[in-house]
């Protein structure tokens, strides 16, 4: 994939897949903390610190060398159609802190005919931003964004309303989201009212309309720290037990897992229907073992295409050589089996998932913090069932649409909301990916964010379904 040479000189901390140049193939942005002394980056042939990197698709991912020269602390990234023109704009979140000369602000980049043009962002100058959560929170057909801030920040996460023409306005005050500190954040409909709710790694909020949110955080949601830098990290949503409700998975940035050999698990909260929805801690019950290292990023995806969502982490398995994946064993008694070879201190910061080689199996790009080590594209070569991907072509690129895949004329296999960001500091394509096991056809239902429902019966599997009309 020719990713080694373009990504030297980085303290990698953010990554997102998107589609910049309109060829239907994933592009990649990788963000770095570029504020260290130059000597810290002079390994593996790097002359010094490199700026954030944009790699565009073609025969291979190729570095866009004239894109950016800023050396900021880029802590999060996501591609999204913020101006509703059906192409991908880019948001880079920056983390204020130790800088050589000055703080480099967060940036919003407009996609103009495949070229990303830089704008500034209306964020506090000392904002310690981390992970963006993108959704149309108020139902006006424009994508808004919540950006988490870590503790000790000054304000907590910030809610930005999309005013159109790439103008984002801070509406945090009065939203119910003031003073929330977290490393991770994501958006999704928790109570089936077609309004995107907000889940951070420290709190859960239901959207009550008009950019107002109600705190419905369950008891025991936050894992108690043992030492300094023990924090819940990335957060991801999905229906793990196939009961039709959304479940929550939370990664961990527990430094004591390594420094004190204490171990800390990725946590699972299973959802139940209601308004507000209920969540209970099922971490131990489903087999989420304490990890001997950090696992900041989590993703809820079906890696083996058997129809049951697995949990990917950026802790390492295989004696430090591969991401640790908890495989869903399926059936009525939800449980997970972890990849063999736990025990190494190695971990990665982010891990956005994409089918990079278009073989129907999801792959993972693991973002490396240490300049002495490479970030790695892990290709999925395991046994697999059949699969189906669905994307929606409309302003906003379908974000907020709910996709259900069922046996032809039968029971649902899975239900997924189209999103562009989850986990920690990572962004993914607006695509719903379903494993369907042995099925060769399936029924697809798309509930659009405007309330319209599209029924597509007897769809052939092993394809990317672009609705409408092969968009």
């Amino acid at each position: 994939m020719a990713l080694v040479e373009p990504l030297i000189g980085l303290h990698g901390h953010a990554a997102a897949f998107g589609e910049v140049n309109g060829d239907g193939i994933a592009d990649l942005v990788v963000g770095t903390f570029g504020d260290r002394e130059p000597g810290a980056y002079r390994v593996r042939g790097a002359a010094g610190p490199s700026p954030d990197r944009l790699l565009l698709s073609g025969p291979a991912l190729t570095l866009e060398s004239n894109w950016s020269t800023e050396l900021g602390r880029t802590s999060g990234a996501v591609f999204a159609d913020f101006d509703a023109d059906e192409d991908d704009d880019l948001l880079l979140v920056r983390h204020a802190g130790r800088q050589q000369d000055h703080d480099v602000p967060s940036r919003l980049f407009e996609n103009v005919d495949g070229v990303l043009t830089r704008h500034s962002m209306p964020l506090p100058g000392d904002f310690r931003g981390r992970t963006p959560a993108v959704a149309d929170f108020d139902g006006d057909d424009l994508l808004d964004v919540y950006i988490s801030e870590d503790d000790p920040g000054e304000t907590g996460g910030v809610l930005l309303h999309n005013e159109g023409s790439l103008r984002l306005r801070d509406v945090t005050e009065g939203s119910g989201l003031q003073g929330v500190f977290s490393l991770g954040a994501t958006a999704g409909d928790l109570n089936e009212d077609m309004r995107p709710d907000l889940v951070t790694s420290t709190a859960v909020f239901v959207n009550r309309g008009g950019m107002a949110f109600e705190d419905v955080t369950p008891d025991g949601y936050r894992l108690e720290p043992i030492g300094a830098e023990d924090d819940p990290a990335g957060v991801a949503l999905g229906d793990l037990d196939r009961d039709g409700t959304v479940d929550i998975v939370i990664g961990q940035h527990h430094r004591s897992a390594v420094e004190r050999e204490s171990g800390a698990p990725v946590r699972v909260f299973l959802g139940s229907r209601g308004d507000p929805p209920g969540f209970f801690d099922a971490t131990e019950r489903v087999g989420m073992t304490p990890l001997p290292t950090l696992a900041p990023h989590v993703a809820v995806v079906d890696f083996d295409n058997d129809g049951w969502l697995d949990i990917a982490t950026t802790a390492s398995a295989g004696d430090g050589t591969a991401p640790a994946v908890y495989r869903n064993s399926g059936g009525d008694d939800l449980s997970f089996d972890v990849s063999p070879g736990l025990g190494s201190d190695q971990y990665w910061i982010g891990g956005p998932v994409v089918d990079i080689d278009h073989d129907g199996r999801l792959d993972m790009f693991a973002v490396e913090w240490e300049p002495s080590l490479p970030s790695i594209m892990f290709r999925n070569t395991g046994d697999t069932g059949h699969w189906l991907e669905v994307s929606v072509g409309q302003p906003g690129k379908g974000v907020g649409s709910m996709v259900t895949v069922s046996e032809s004329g039968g029971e649902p296999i899975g239900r997924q909301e189209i999103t562009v960001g989850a986990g920690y500091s990572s962004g993914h394509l607006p695509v719903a990916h379903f494993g369907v096991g042995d099925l060769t056809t399936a029924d697809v239902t798309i509930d659009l964010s405007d309330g319209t429902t599209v029924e597509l019966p007897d769809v052939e599997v092993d394809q990317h379904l672009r609705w409408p009309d092969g968009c």
Side-chain angles (χ1 to χ4, degrees):
M1 304 298 290
L3 286 178
V4 176
E5 184 67 23
L7 299 182
I8 60 174
L10 301 181
H11 271 298
H13 200 288
F17 287 104
E19 188 184 339
V20 176
N21 51 12
D23 63 358
I25 305 174
D27 307 303
L28 173 66
V29 68
V30 182
T32 175
F33 275 34
D35 65 328
R36 269 54 176 177
E37 291 299 321
Y41 304 89
R42 291 178 185 144
V43 290
R44 298 195 297 123
S50 299
D52 301 327
R53 294 306 207 185
L54 175 64
L55 298 105
L56 299 180
S57 56
L61 286 169
T62 303
L63 179 66
E64 183 74 0
S65 57
N66 296 322
W67 172 59
S68 176
T69 59
E70 291 185 328
L71 291 174
R73 293 162 60 94
T74 302
S75 50
V78 67
F79 286 97
D81 182 15
F82 287 107
D83 54 3
D85 63 354
E86 300 188 50
D87 60 23
D88 277 347
D89 310 301
L90 172 64
L91 170 60
L92 293 183
V93 175
R94 300 274 169 54
H95 184 274
R98 182 171 49 131
Q99 299 284 342
Q100 292 176 330
D101 298 308
H102 59 277
D103 286 338
V104 178
S106 298
R107 299 286 189 195
L108 184 60
F109 294 80
E110 180 183 6
N111 187 334
V112 181
D113 298 327
V115 177
L116 296 176
T117 304
R118 189 176 74 184
H119 295 257
S120 292
M121 284 284 292
L123 294 173
D126 56 357
F127 188 66
R128 300 167 65 95
R130 289 293 185 178
T131 305
V134 175
D136 179 9
F137 287 117
D138 62 342
D140 66 354
D141 297 325
L142 293 172
L143 295 178
D144 313 300
V145 61
Y146 174 87
I147 305 175
S148 71
E149 183 182 36
D150 66 9
D151 193 4
E154 294 293 328
T155 65
V158 172
L159 179 64
L160 300 174
H161 179 255
N162 191 336
E163 308 278 296
S165 302
L166 293 176
R167 298 189 305 272
L168 300 179
R169 179 171 60 92
D170 186 344
V171 295
T172 313
E173 185 176 355
S175 68
L177 302 177
Q178 305 96 304
V180 178
F181 294 94
S182 65
L183 292 179
T186 193
D189 184 5
L190 303 178
N191 56 353
E192 300 180 82
D193 64 356
M194 293 304 293
R195 284 195 294 243
D197 307 303
L198 179 69
V199 181
T200 79
S201 47
T202 60
V204 181
F205 298 90
V206 167
N207 185 345
R208 294 306 186 193
M211 304 294 275
F213 293 80
E214 176 189 355
D215 189 338
V216 298
T217 307
D219 293 338
Y221 186 74
R222 181 165 183 168
L223 189 65
E224 289 299 318
I226 296 173
E229 293 192 56
D230 283 359
D231 296 294
V235 59
L237 308 178
D239 184 2
L240 297 169
D241 52 3
R242 287 185 16 179
D243 68 350
T245 63
V246 177
D247 309 310
I248 301 173
V249 178
I250 308 170
Q252 53 88 353
H253 188 282
H254 271 239
R255 186 66 62 187
S256 61
V258 173
E259 295 177 352
R260 303 190 185 191
E261 298 184 353
S262 62
V266 165
R267 305 183 77 204
V268 172
F269 284 79
L270 296 181
S272 60
R273 280 192 170 86
D275 190 14
F279 296 94
F280 70 94
D281 189 347
T283 303
E284 292 187 16
R285 196 195 84 183
V286 302
M288 303 303 291
T289 54
L291 291 164
T293 189
L294 286 68
H297 179 80
V298 287
V300 177
V301 291
D302 188 353
F303 270 123
D304 53 6
N305 288 331
D306 66 349
W308 294 88
L309 293 173
D310 310 305
I311 298 173
T313 82
T314 48
S316 68
D319 300 318
T321 63
V325 176
Y326 286 86
R327 183 179 178 274
N328 192 331
S329 59
D332 294 334
D333 187 14
L334 180 66
S335 63
F336 293 87
D337 300 314
V338 69
S339 306
L342 297 179
S344 172
D345 290 350
Q346 174 63 32
Y347 72 96
W348 295 273
I349 300 292
V353 170
V354 68
D355 180 6
I356 196 66
D357 52 2
H358 305 281
D359 67 352
R361 291 174 288 193
L362 292 172
D363 313 296
M364 175 185 277
F365 177 68
V367 183
E368 176 59 55
W369 169 255
E370 296 294 341
S372 59
L373 297 173
S375 294
I376 302 173
M377 180 72 79
F378 286 102
R379 184 168 174 260
N380 184 351
T381 60
D383 294 336
T384 182
H386 294 291
W387 56 278
L388 182 64
E389 288 191 339
V390 180
S391 58
V392 174
Q394 58 179 199
K397 303 192 82 168
V399 170
S401 299
M402 191 69 70
V403 182
T404 303
V405 170
S406 306
E407 300 176 14
S408 291
E411 294 297 315
I413 299 167
R415 186 170 181 262
Q416 295 181 36
E417 187 169 349
I418 293 179
T419 63
V420 289
Y424 182 52
S425 301
S426 301
H428 55 252
L429 296 174
V431 174
H433 178 102
F434 296 86
V436 296
D438 295 332
L439 297 183
T440 56
T441 63
D443 293 342
V444 176
T445 301
I446 306 173
D447 292 308
L448 301 172
S449 56
D450 64 3
T452 303
T453 296
V454 178
E455 302 279 358
L456 303 170
D458 296 323
V459 174
E460 292 187 5
V461 302
D462 295 335
Q463 66 159 314
H464 186 146
L465 174 66
R466 301 176 188 270
W467 183 89
D469 304 324
C471 62

